[in-house]
Amino acid sequence: MLEIYNSLSRRKQAFRAPDSGPVRMYVCGITVYDYIHLGHARMLIVFDLVARYLRSRGYQLTYVRNITDVDDKIIARANQNGEPVEALTQRFIDAMHEDEDALGIARPDLEPRATVHMPQILGMIGRLVENGSAYLAGNGDVYFRVRGFAAYGQLSGRTPDEMLSAPDAAADVDPGEEKEDPLDFALWKAVKPGEPSWDSPWGPGRPGWHIECSAMSTHCLGDSFDIHGGGQDLRFPHHENEIAQSESATGARFVDVWMHNGFVRVDEEKMSKSLGNFFTVRDLLQHYDAEVIRFFVLSSHYRSPLNYTDSSLEQARNGLQAYYLALQDIPAGGRLLEHWQERFRAAMDDDFNTAEAMAVLADLRHEINRARDGGPEPLADLGYTLRTLAEPLALLQRPAEDFLRGTGGGVGGLSDAEIAAQLAEREQARADRDWARADGIRDALASKGVILEDGAAGTSWRRT
RNA sequence: GGCUGGGUGGCAGAGUGGUUAUGCACCGGCCUGCAAAGCCGAGUACGUCGGUUCGAUUCCGGCCCCAGCCUCCA
C-alpha cells in the first residue's frame, strides 16, 4: 500500500486514488528567466519519479506542471537585457526542455503557461471579486481578502495573527500597495510603465503570482484534484494562497495531498540564486553524465535536505559505475524475481523512499556479482530484475557499454579509435610478456581517464 | 520571536526498543604477470543531560547546535 507524506496533515497517509478516472497531479514548475540549477533539477526529478512510480504501480495519471512566464523577475530581466519578455521566456523554456531531456525527465502531460491562460485567470479573479473574497483597491490592484478565508494558515501551520507577529511583518506592505490588511495579497496588479499588460474588468494589468496556479490547475484538472507538489519554499505563501483562492472561488476542497521536496544545499547552506551559490544543470553536465546527477538526487529521500559538496557527484559516479559494471555482459531475457520486487516496492511505497529502494538495488547488484560464480538465482533473471526495478527511477536503462564508455562529459579525451590502437599495442606487449611496456600503456591511458581491465575474455576498457 | 524539519561511523545516507542498513572511501585476504573489477573479511556510529524500560541510537522531557519558512525563490 502506497503511503505519502501530506504536508497538510503533517503525516504519512495511505494514498487514495479517485474512484474513477486518472490520478490528477499538479506541480509548480519553473519561472523562466534563467537556466535551471541543481535545486530546480531536484524538483523536476522528484516529481518525475513520483509520476513514473505511480504509473508503474498501475495508476493512470494526468501530470500537469506549469510554466510561469510573467512575473517581476522576468520583467526585470527582460528590461535589463533590452529584450522582449516573450523572447526571454521562450529562450529559457527551450533551455529548460533541453536540460530536462538531458536529465531523462519525461515531459508532463500538460505544461500550461500563465500568459496563455488569461481567460481562466480573469475568470477566477472575477468570481472572487463577485463573492466578496477579493476587492479592487484604489490603485487598480485587486487583492485577496485573507481574513475572509477562515482556514487561512492551515498549510503553513500559522494563524494570520501569528504571521503578523513576525519581526518584519509590518514591512510586508510595499509602498504603492493599498491593502485593507497587510496579509492580503495581489490577484491582479495594475499596469506600470514598461510592463506587459492585459485588459481586464479592473483595468489593464497582469496577474499576481499565486492566481495563475489556482486558475490553471483547476482548469486542467478540475476544482478538486489528488496531488499538488512543489519545492518546500512554496508551502508559504504560494500554496497557502492557492488554497485560499481556489476554495473561495470554487467552494470545493482544492487538493487532497500536498507534497514538498526538500532543498539542495551547498556546504549546508540553501542553494539559491540570491545567495549566488548555485550550479546550473548545464555546467554540471559539462563534467558529469546526466544519469550521475539523477543518481545523486535520488540517493536521499525527497523531503530531506540534499547537501552538495565537491565530492558528491564523484561518489555518485563511482556508485553508478558499479551497477553498470555488474550489468555488463548479462545474458538477455530473464524474468522478474518477485521477492526482490517486494523489497523494492516496500521501500518505494513508504513515501517514495528512494534511499531505501536503492539499498535494495545495491543488494541486488551484489547478488549479480555473486551469481557470476554460480549462485542460486540465474544471472539473466537478476539482471532483468535490476533493470526493471530501476525503471521508475529512470536509472540503469542504457546499455552498460554506453555508460561505461561514454565521454563522461570529459572534453579533449582520447577517441575510441585511439584507445583501440593503444589496446592493440598493449596486447602485443603482453603477448611478448613485456610487462613494463604493457603497464606503461595502461598507466598512460589511465592518466587520460581510460581504465583497462584484463579479463578471461580479453581486455575491456571504460572511461572514468 | 513564531512555525517546519533535522542532528547517525572519514564522507553520503536509511532504519530500528534487544540482532550487519546500503553506497563511496579506507584496511586485510582471494583472484591477477602486476593491476582493475569482483568476491571474502575487519574497522570506525547513532548531539547532550535526565526519564520510562530487564534493555534506547530507536519512546518521553529539558538543553545545545544546524537548516528552512515567516519577503521573490524548486
Side-chain angles (χ1 to χ4, degrees):
Chain A
M1 180 188 65
L2 175 61
E3 287 195 316
I4 303 179
Y5 181 88
N6 188 348
S7 299
L8 191 57
S9 62
R10 287 177 251 290
R11 72 180 97 149
K12 285 184 208 168
Q13 297 176 326
F15 176 65
R16 292 198 45 202
D19 294 332
S20 64
V23 172
R24 297 150 298 179
M25 176 164 84
Y26 182 92
V27 172
C28 289
I30 305 288
T31 300
V32 282
Y33 68 98
D34 207 341
Y35 295 113
I36 63 169
H37 61 60
L38 189 54
H40 299 120
R42 185 183 196 191
M43 176 276 288
L44 297 169
I45 289 170
V46 162
F47 288 102
D48 181 54
L49 166 88
V50 170
R52 287 174 190 266
Y53 187 66
L54 287 173
R55 288 183 170 128
S56 82
R57 286 296 256 123
Y59 295 105
Q60 293 288 112
L61 173 72
T62 303
Y63 174 23
V64 181
R65 195 187 61 218
N66 76 300
I67 293 172
T68 297
D69 60 355
V70 57
D71 93 328
D72 292 348
K73 290 193 167 184
I74 292 172
I75 294 166
R77 181 65 60 91
N79 287 342
Q80 184 187 322
N81 292 357
E83 178 180 24
V85 164
E86 308 78 59
L88 176 84
T89 54
Q90 193 55 53
R91 205 148 57 78
F92 286 112
I93 289 171
D94 293 343
M96 173 183 79
H97 283 153
E98 281 172 30
D99 291 343
E100 276 188 273
D101 292 347
L103 289 171
I105 294 161
R107 297 285 171 81
D109 299 299
L110 294 169
E111 215 172 18
R113 295 169 57 163
T115 54
V116 296
H117 287 82
M118 282 303 154
Q120 288 78 23
I121 291 169
L122 292 172
M124 186 171 270
I125 297 174
R127 283 195 291 284
L128 290 168
V129 171
E130 275 165 36
N131 71 19
S133 300
Y135 57 93
L136 174 65
N139 63 357
D141 288 354
V142 177
Y143 298 109
F144 184 86
R145 188 175 281 125
V146 164
R147 300 275 181 181
F149 185 69
Y152 196 77
Q154 57 183 313
L155 184 61
S156 38
R158 288 182 286 255
T159 64
D161 288 330
E162 283 169 343
M163 293 177 197
L164 276 179
S165 70
D168 307 325
D172 281 354
V173 183
D174 292 333
E177 290 187 323
E178 295 182 17
K179 299 176 179 177
E180 289 178 1
D181 185 293
L183 290 176
D184 293 349
F185 56 89
L187 300 175
W188 190 255
K189 298 182 176 187
V191 67
K192 296 188 193 111
E195 291 188 351
S197 68
W198 289 260
D199 286 333
S200 86
W202 314 282
R206 61 188 169 94
W209 175 37
H210 315 296
I211 192 69
E212 66 170 271
C213 283
S214 288
M216 294 191 289
S217 61
T218 54
H219 175 248
C220 295
L221 296 171
D223 289 351
S224 299
F225 53 95
D226 305 295
I227 298 173
H228 189 130
Q232 200 107 69
D233 45 357
L234 299 185
R235 190 162 169 173
F236 187 87
H238 186 56
H239 289 161
E240 190 73 63
N241 290 353
E242 275 190 57
I243 295 174
Q245 294 165 336
S246 304
E247 299 196 350
S248 295
T250 69
R253 176 185 164 86
F254 183 41
V255 166
D256 196 21
V257 180
W258 286 89
M259 293 181 67
H260 293 100
N261 67 277
F263 287 121
V264 174
R265 293 188 201 165
V266 178
D267 295 329
E268 299 302 342
E269 204 173 31
K270 177 181 173 180
M271 173 182 288
S272 77
K273 297 234 173 116
S274 42
L275 290 170
N277 61 348
F278 60 91
F279 298 87
T280 65
V281 168
R282 330 210 120 194
D283 285 345
L284 293 175
L285 286 174
Q286 291 294 103
H287 304 286
Y288 295 96
D289 189 285
E291 195 171 345
V292 168
I293 296 173
R294 194 178 185 101
F295 186 90
F296 167 62
V297 167
L298 295 179
S299 65
S300 77
H301 183 83
Y302 76 91
R303 282 189 285 120
S304 304
L306 178 62
N307 193 35
Y308 180 90
T309 67
D310 285 341
S311 65
S312 293
L313 292 179
E314 300 286 335
Q315 280 196 26
R317 190 193 55 202
N318 292 343
L320 184 58
Q321 210 164 56
Y323 284 92
Y324 274 117
L325 284 169
L327 284 170
Q328 246 182 334
D329 306 320
I330 288 212
R335 60 185 187 84
L336 188 69
L337 298 166
E338 282 174 15
H339 61 282
W340 287 102
Q341 183 181 46
E342 278 164 28
R343 281 186 62 195
F344 181 82
R345 201 169 259 188
M348 290 296 289
D349 275 359
D350 180 14
D351 194 29
F352 308 99
N353 192 338
T354 51
E356 183 76 23
M358 282 165 74
V360 175
L361 298 187
D363 287 345
L364 182 50
R365 179 189 90 192
H366 189 225
E367 212 47 48
I368 286 174
N369 287 325
R370 286 161 57 101
R372 289 185 188 280
D373 299 325
E377 296 181 290
L379 198 51
D381 290 354
L382 288 165
Y384 178 78
T385 301
L386 176 56
R387 286 200 129 103
T388 303
L389 293 185
E391 246 172 43
L393 307 180
L395 294 173
L396 306 180
Q397 301 304 301
R398 290 191 269 171
E401 303 257 297
D402 279 12
F403 177 83
L404 296 171
R405 295 189 171 185
T407 59
V411 178
L414 297 173
S415 69
D416 288 11
E418 287 169 321
I419 292 167
Q422 292 292 300
L423 276 184
E425 207 173 316
R426 180 163 172 274
E427 268 323 293
Q428 186 55 52
R430 291 186 74 209
D432 298 341
R433 304 186 72 77
D434 183 352
W435 306 125
R437 187 150 155 265
D439 292 353
I441 293 170
R442 185 172 62 198
D443 291 347
L445 286 172
S447 74
K448 291 180 179 173
V450 178
I451 305 295
L452 302 190
E453 291 177 11
D454 298 324
T459 300
S460 64
W461 63 272
R462 66 177 194 272
R463 292 193 175 92
T464 53

